[in-house]
C-alpha cells in the first residue's frame, strides 16, 4: 500500500468515528415514549472503523480478519477450531451434515437414525435433522431452567439413537455433565447449539466446549454480532475437515481463498474416478454448500470480541436486576433459575405465568407492547404444533407437558447490554402494576 493510500485510509477511519458520534448520539430514556427492546446490536466507532478498514481492502470473501477472528474465538470458547459461516442456522446445518459424512465410517448418521432433541426451542436446531432424513426424538423440558429434562433420556434411547442436539436455552446451559456422560456411555455424538449462550459457563468451562461440535450465531440479537454470521466449533481435526469441506462447496482441497497448493501436491492426487493428477482445487469429496462469511463481517466480529467480557457482565447484571425487581410477583409468575453448576450469560429473562394468575400470558404481553416494552415468546413453543411440522416423521419419548405449558404461558424479556437500569425499572414497574391492577379488579 502506498503511503498516500495509508494516509487516506487513516483519515477515512477517523472520519467514521466522527460520523458514529454524530449519527448515534446518546440520549436519556423516556418511559412510555422510547421502546424497550428485547435484544439488539451494541456497537460503537470501533466496529464501524473495523468494518470500513476491511472494506477498503476490497477482499470480499474470507481474509485477514476471518483468520484472526477464528483463531481468537476458538481460544475464547475452549476449542481448537472455529469455522466462520454465514449464520447460526447454517452452523447447525453444517454440524448435522458433518455427522453424515462417509469419512466417519460406522459412526456416520444415515437416514432413519434417531437424534434426541427438544420441541421447545428454535426451529433451526431441529430442521437439519429433518432435512437429512433423520428422526428427531423429542423429550420434555424443565421449568424454570427451560432446558432438556435429563430424566427422560433413557426413555428416548433406542437401538437407532446416534446423536443428541440441544440448545442452551436463552443462555442457560443445559446439564452438560449428565448429558455428556450419557452420550459417552452410549456412543452418541453431541452437538451443543450455543447460539444463545456465548460467554456462559458450566462447571467453570465455556458452554460450547463440551460436545463433539458446537454452533454459534452472530445475528444482531445475539451476544456478539456481525449482522449475519455464525460459527461451528470443534476440537476434532476430522470433523473440522468435514465441516470446512461442506461449507466450501464440498471440495476436498483445504486452501484458503486466494491461495493455491497448500498441500504441495495439487496435481498429484488420485480421487474417485477422476484421472490421475486432476486439479485438487476442483475435487469434491462431499455434497456441499457455499456458506462462507465475508471478511467485512469478520472485521466487526474482531471488534466485538474485545467487548465480550463487558457484554457478559452486563447481561448478568441486568438479569439479576430484573429478578430482584420482579420477586414481589412470584405469587403469579415463575421466575427463571440457572442450571445447577452453571453461570449463564443470559440471552433473555424467561417468565411463566402461573395457573390462577389474574392475567394471562397473552394479555400480559399485549399490555407490555402497548407500554412500549418488547417481549418474545420462547421461540416455537411446541415445535410439533407449528404448521410446518405436521406430518414430519418423529418420535415422542414422554409427554411434552412443560413444552405445552411454555407454548401457552411463557414469554421472555430482554437483558442485553443495550438496556439500562431505567429501562429495566420501568419494565418491572409496568409488570407489577398490571398484575396488581388485575388482582384488584377481581376483588
Amino acid at each position: 500500500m502506498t503511503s498516500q493510500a495509508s494516509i487516506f485510509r487513516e483519515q477515512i477511519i477517523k472520519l467514521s468515528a466522527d460520523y458514529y458520534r454524530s449519527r448515534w448520539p446518546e440520549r436519556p430514556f423516556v418511559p412510555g415514549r422510547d421502546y424497550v427492546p428485547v435484544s439488539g446490536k451494541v456497537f460503537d466507532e470501533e466496529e464501524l472503523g473495523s468494518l470500513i478498514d476491511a472494506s477498503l481492502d476490497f477482499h470480499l470473501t474470507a481474509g485477514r480478519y476471518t483468520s484472526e477472528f477464528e483463531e481468537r474465538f476458538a481460544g475464547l470458547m475452549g476449542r481448537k477450531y472455529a469455522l466462520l459461516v454465514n449464520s447460526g442456522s447454517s452452523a447447525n446445518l453444517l454440524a448435522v451434515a458433518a455427522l453424515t459424512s462417509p469419512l466417519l465410517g460406522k459412526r456416520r448418521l444415515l437416514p432413519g437414525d434417531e437424534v434426541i432433541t427438544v420441541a421447545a426451542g428454535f426451529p433451526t436446531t431441529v430442521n437439519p435433522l429433518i432435512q437429512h432424513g433423520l428422526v428427531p426424538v423429542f423429550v420434555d423440558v424443565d421449568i424454570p431452567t427451560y432446558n432438556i429434562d435429563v430424566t427422560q433420556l433413557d426413555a428416548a434411547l433406542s437401538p437407532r439413537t446416534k446423536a443428541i442436539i440441544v440448545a442452551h436455552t436463552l443462555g442457560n446451559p443445559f446439564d452438560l455433565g449428565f448429558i455428556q456422560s450419557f452420550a459417552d456411555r452410549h456412543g452418541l455424538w453431541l452437538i451443543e447449539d450455543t447460539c444463545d449462550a456465548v460467554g456462559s459457563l458450566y462447571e467453570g468451562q465455556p458452554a460450547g466446549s463440551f460436545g463433539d461440535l458446537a454452533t454459534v450465531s452472530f445475528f444482531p440479537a445475539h451476544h456478539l454480532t456481525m449482522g449475519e454470521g455464525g460459527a461451528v466449533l470443534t476440537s476434532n481435526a476430522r470433523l473440522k475437515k468435514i465441516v470446512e469441506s461442506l461449507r466450501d462447496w464440498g471440495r476436498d482441497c483445504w486452501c484458503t481463498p486466494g491461495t493455491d497448493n497448500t498441500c504441495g501436491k495439487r496435481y498429484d492426487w488420485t480421487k474417485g474416478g477422476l484421472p490421475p493428477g486432476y486439479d485438487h482445487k476442483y475435487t469434491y469429496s462431499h455434497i456441499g454448500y457455499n456458506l462462507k462469511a465475508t471478511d467485512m463481517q469478520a472485521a466487526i466480529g474482531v471488534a466485538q470480541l474485545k467487548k465480550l467480557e463487558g457484554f457478559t457482565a452486563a447481561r448478568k447484571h441486568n438479569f439479576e436486576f430484573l429478578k430482584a425487581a420482579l420477586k414481589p410477583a412470584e405469587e403469579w409468575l415463575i421466575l427463571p433459575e440457572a442450571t445447577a453448576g452453571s453461570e449463564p450469560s443470559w440471552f433473555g429473562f424467561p417468565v411463566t405465568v402461573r395457573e390462577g394468575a389474574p392475567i394471562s400470558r397473552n394479555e400480559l404481553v399485549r399490555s407490555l407492547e402497548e407500554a412500549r416494552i418488547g417481549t418474545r415468546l420462547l421461540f416455537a413453543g411446541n415445535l410439533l404444533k407449528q404448521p410446518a411440522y405436521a406430518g414430519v416423521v418423529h418420535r415422542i419419548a414422554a409427554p411434552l407437558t412443560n413444552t405445552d405449558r411454555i407454548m401457552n404461558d411463557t414469554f421472555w424479556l430482554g437483558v442485553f447490554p443495550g438496556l439500562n437500569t431505567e429501562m429495566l425499572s420501568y419494565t418491572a414497574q409496568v409488570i407489577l402494576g398490571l398484575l396488581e391492577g388485575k388482582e384488584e379488579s377481581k376483588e
Side-chain angles (χ1 to χ4, degrees):
M1 186 189 303
T2 65
S3 58
Q4 187 174 40
S6 298
I7 292 169
F8 286 150
R9 180 187 288 256
E10 185 177 336
Q11 290 174 341
I12 289 167
I13 294 172
K14 182 179 182 303
L15 281 171
S16 74
D18 296 335
Y19 173 81
Y20 168 82
R21 289 185 285 271
S22 174
R23 174 65 178 80
W24 291 286
E26 291 187 19
R27 65 173 190 169
F29 171 69
V30 179
R33 182 199 73 182
D34 297 328
Y35 192 67
V36 181
V38 293
S39 61
K41 56 188 179 293
V42 178
F43 70 102
D44 58 26
E45 65 270 17
E46 191 169 5
E47 282 86 347
L48 189 60
S50 191
L51 170 62
I52 290 170
D53 186 46
S55 70
L56 291 173
D57 288 343
F58 214 69
H59 192 87
L60 301 181
T61 184
R64 61 186 175 102
Y65 277 110
T66 302
S67 299
E68 180 180 354
F69 180 85
E70 289 180 335
E71 181 178 350
R72 292 180 57 194
F73 188 63
L76 283 171
M77 297 296 287
R79 291 293 199 172
K80 288 184 179 179
Y81 311 110
L83 296 161
L84 190 61
V85 299
N86 63 352
S87 74
S89 299
S90 293
N92 281 339
L93 175 63
L94 288 171
V96 172
L99 299 185
T100 70
S101 170
L103 296 181
L104 298 178
K106 292 182 179 180
R107 293 201 68 194
R108 174 190 185 188
L109 270 57
L110 297 170
D113 285 342
E114 294 183 348
V115 180
I116 299 171
T117 189
V118 300
F122 200 74
T124 56
T125 306
V126 175
N127 288 355
L129 306 179
I130 299 165
Q131 291 159 341
H132 284 85
L134 303 168
V135 178
V137 178
F138 295 104
V139 300
D140 206 8
V141 295
D142 168 73
I143 297 174
T145 68
Y146 301 92
N147 278 316
I148 184 170
D149 182 350
V150 296
T151 67
Q152 295 186 2
L153 288 175
D154 284 329
L157 193 66
S158 85
R160 299 226 61 170
T161 308
K162 297 291 181 64
I164 302 171
I165 179 170
V166 194
H168 301 292
T169 305
L170 294 177
N172 189 17
F174 56 78
D175 189 340
L176 279 156
F178 190 102
I179 290 180
Q180 186 173 51
S181 175
F182 182 87
D184 291 344
R185 192 162 64 250
H186 297 286
L188 309 179
W189 296 106
L190 174 59
I191 300 174
E192 291 179 73
D193 183 334
T194 318
C195 289
D196 290 348
V198 172
S200 295
L201 302 176
Y202 180 85
E203 301 290 353
Q205 299 300 312
S209 67
F210 291 80
D212 299 286
L213 293 154
T215 58
V216 176
S217 172
F218 302 125
F219 190 72
H222 290 273
H223 291 63
L224 300 170
T225 187
M226 298 181 183
E228 298 285 355
V232 181
L233 298 158
T234 188
S235 294
N236 182 306
R238 178 171 292 181
L239 290 176
K240 183 256 188 186
K241 177 182 178 181
I242 293 168
V243 170
E244 195 169 39
S245 172
L246 287 162
R247 182 194 65 180
D248 299 358
W249 307 284
R251 66 180 187 166
D252 200 68
C253 171
W254 55 87
C255 290
T256 57
T259 63
D260 296 323
N261 206 25
T262 304
C263 63
K265 51 178 184 176
R266 177 179 174 183
Y267 299 107
D268 297 328
W269 292 91
T270 300
K271 296 270 187 175
L274 294 170
Y278 197 85
D279 189 348
H280 195 224
K281 286 183 71 72
Y282 292 96
T283 300
Y284 302 91
S285 51
H286 292 93
I287 308 298
Y289 310 90
N290 179 7
L291 301 177
K292 298 189 300 300
T294 70
D295 215 43
M296 290 173 286
Q297 291 169 270
I300 300 170
V302 167
Q304 288 266 293
L305 281 177
K306 301 173 185 176
K307 300 171 181 174
L308 179 58
E309 185 176 350
F311 287 167
T312 300
R315 287 180 178 275
K316 291 178 178 179
H317 171 270
N318 290 348
F319 178 91
E320 294 301 333
F321 185 97
L322 260 186
K323 190 165 184 178
L326 291 176
K327 190 170 180 58
E330 282 191 299
E331 178 184 355
W332 301 304
L333 304 177
I334 299 174
L335 303 183
E337 296 286 346
T339 300
S342 72
E343 297 177 44
S345 176
W346 290 94
F347 181 68
F349 188 95
V351 176
T352 297
V353 179
R354 294 184 187 274
E355 293 180 15
I359 191 170
S360 70
R361 190 272 311 277
N362 287 357
E363 291 174 305
L364 188 52
V365 298
R366 287 194 186 107
S367 296
L368 287 169
E369 289 289 347
E370 288 172 3
R372 304 281 293 155
I373 297 168
T375 65
R376 292 289 185 271
L377 302 186
L378 190 43
F379 307 126
N382 182 343
L383 199 65
L384 293 173
K385 302 295 178 71
Q386 294 280 349
Y389 298 84
V392 165
V393 177
H394 67 280
R395 184 163 66 83
I396 298 175
L400 304 180
T401 305
N402 283 336
T403 301
D404 284 337
R405 186 171 186 191
I406 286 168
M407 177 177 63
N408 289 299
D409 298 328
T410 301
F411 69 100
W412 59 274
L413 301 160
V415 293
F416 81 107
L419 301 178
N420 56 37
T421 53
E422 291 80 13
M423 295 172 177
L424 297 172
S425 294
Y426 173 64
T427 298
Q429 290 166 11
V430 170
I431 291 173
L432 295 174
L434 287 167
L435 289 165
E436 290 166 1
K438 286 286 185 178
E439 183 68 13
E440 290 171 1
S441 68
K442 288 173 60 180
E443 296 175 351

